[in-house]
Amino acid sequence: MIYQKMAIPPRSEHLWRYTPWPRIHPSSTDEVPEVDDVVFSLSTEHELESVSHSATTHDDIARAFLQSAGGSNNRLIISEESEPIHIDARASGHVAVGHLHLDVKASCVVLIHLSGEPEWVGIHITGKVHPNVQFSFGFINELDSNTKFLRCEDWIVERDAELEHATLSIGGFRCKSDLRSTLNGTGSTIRQSVTANAVGSRHDDEHVEIHHLHGHTNSDLVMNSACSGSSHFIATGLLTIAEGANKTDASQVFRNLLLSEKARAEAIPELEVLADDVSAAHGAATAPVDQNQMHYLMSRGLSPDESQSLIVSGFLLNAFSNLSNKYLTEEMKTRLTVHLECELKR
C-alpha cells in the first residue's frame, strides 16, 4: 500500500494510543523526506549484501513509510555456524533510514548496536529463522538523547526453531518500537526481553506482538523499565493463539520501577486465545523503589544514590533472566552496566 494514500491511524487504535503517528513522523505527515542511509558494518568475515527496494506492500503505516523513504537496504545470509556477529549501525545526517534482513539457516548470535546523532532515525529489521535453528539476537539503542527513533521488526520462526530476542533501550528522546514475531511451525519457541532506562523527559513506547499459528509452540516475554525525571515508558504486548493451536504455552510479564513523582509508566498486556488446550498467562506491576531495600543498603554504608543505583541495576538486569544464551546475556548485561555507571557519575 502506498504511504501517501494511507489514512493516519486514530489514537483509538491500540498501537498508536500513546505515541500517535504525527508525534513520531520526522516532518509533516503528508511528506516523505529525503533520507540518508543507516550504514551497517560487520565485525566478522560475513558480508552484507546490498539489495534493491521492493514495491511497498505493507498495510501498516510505519512500515509503509520506511519502505517509501528508502535508505540503505541490506541482507545477511547466515548459512553456517560461526562466532558471534556484531553489526554496527551508524546513523548520520538529518533523517536516516535503514533496512536489514537476516536469513538465518544456522545457529548463531547476532548483536546490533545502533548509534548516531541525527534528528530522526528509522530502522526496519526482518528475519527468518529456519527449521531446527537456534538463533540469539540482541539490539542495543544508544542514539543521541535528542533523536526521534522509529523501529519496526518482523520475524518468522519456523518448525522446531528457537529465537532469543533481547532489546536494550537507553538512547533517543522519543522512541517508538513495533516488534512482531510469528511462530510458524510446531515446536517453535521465542524468548524475548525488553529492558529500558528512561531518564529526563525521555518517551519510550515498546509494542510487542507474538503470534502462535500452530500448536506445541512456546513464548515468554519480559519487559522491565526504570523511569526517572519526567520520563514516560509504555509497554504493550499482544499474544495471539490461533484456532487449533493446542498445547501452546505463552506468557508475558511487564514490570516498571518509578524513581520520581513525575515519571510515568503504562503496562498493557493483551491475550487473544482461540484454542482450548493452552497455557496463557500475563502480569503487570508498577511501583516505586522499595524503601526497606533502600534502608538495608544505606545501613551498610552506601549513599542514597548508590543504594538506588544498585536496586535499579538488579531490577533491569533481571529482564534478561529468561534468556539461555550466555554470550547474548553477558553482552547485554555488560552494556547496561556501563550505561548505569555513566548515569551514576553524572
Side-chain angles (χ1 to χ4, degrees), residues 115-137:
S115 61
E117 301 177 356
E119 183 175 317
W120 194 93
V121 175
I123 291 281
H124 188 193
I125 297 173
T126 57
K128 181 177 181 180
V129 185
H130 287 253
N132 302 300
V133 168
Q134 293 182 329
F135 178 54
S136 299
F137 175 80

Side-chain angles (χ1 to χ4, degrees), residues 175-209:
C175 304
K176 173 64 179 179
S177 295
D178 181 3
L179 315 178
R180 306 184 187 186
S181 301
T182 299
L183 297 170
N184 197 43
T186 57
S188 55
T189 297
I190 179 170
R191 289 187 290 273
Q192 188 164 359
S193 69
V194 176
T195 298
N197 189 34
V199 298
S201 56
R202 186 169 186 257
H203 177 98
D204 194 350
D205 185 344
E206 301 281 343
H207 176 78
V208 176
E209 295 184 12

Side-chain angles (χ1 to χ4, degrees), residues 142-252:
E142 283 193 311
L143 289 166
D144 182 77
S145 59
N146 295 312
T147 299
K148 280 186 181 181
F149 178 43
L150 172 64
R151 171 186 170 206
C152 297
E153 291 189 13
D154 295 281
W155 295 91
I156 296 175
V157 185
E158 299 288 2
R159 176 182 53 81
D160 293 323
E162 179 181 300
L163 170 62
E164 287 200 334
H165 189 296
T167 292
L168 177 57
S169 180
I170 52 179
F173 168 69
R174 180 174 296 141
C175 304
K176 173 64 179 179
S177 295
D178 181 3
L179 315 178
R180 306 184 187 186
S181 301
T182 299
L183 297 170
N184 197 43
T186 57
S188 55
T189 297
I190 179 170
R191 289 187 290 273
Q192 188 164 359
S193 69
V194 176
T195 298
N197 189 34
V199 298
S201 56
R202 186 169 186 257
H203 177 98
D204 194 350
D205 185 344
E206 301 281 343
H207 176 78
V208 176
E209 295 184 12
I210 300 176
H211 302 284
H212 295 256
L213 301 186
H214 300 271
H216 297 276
T217 54
N218 302 277
S219 68
D220 182 16
L221 169 63
V222 176
M223 284 203 214
N224 282 13
S225 78
C227 305
S228 61
S230 59
S231 63
H232 189 191
F233 179 77
I234 305 101
T236 56
L238 173 62
L239 288 177
T240 68
I241 302 176
E243 184 176 0
N246 294 314
K247 304 300 181 181
T248 288
D249 188 347
S251 67
Q252 55 179 330

Side-chain angles (χ1 to χ4, degrees), residues 290-301 307 311:
D290 189 326
Q291 291 303 311
N292 290 327
Q293 294 179 353
M294 288 286 292
H295 176 76
Y296 176 85
L297 294 172
M298 291 171 62
S299 68
R300 279 150 180 78
S307 299
I311 292 171

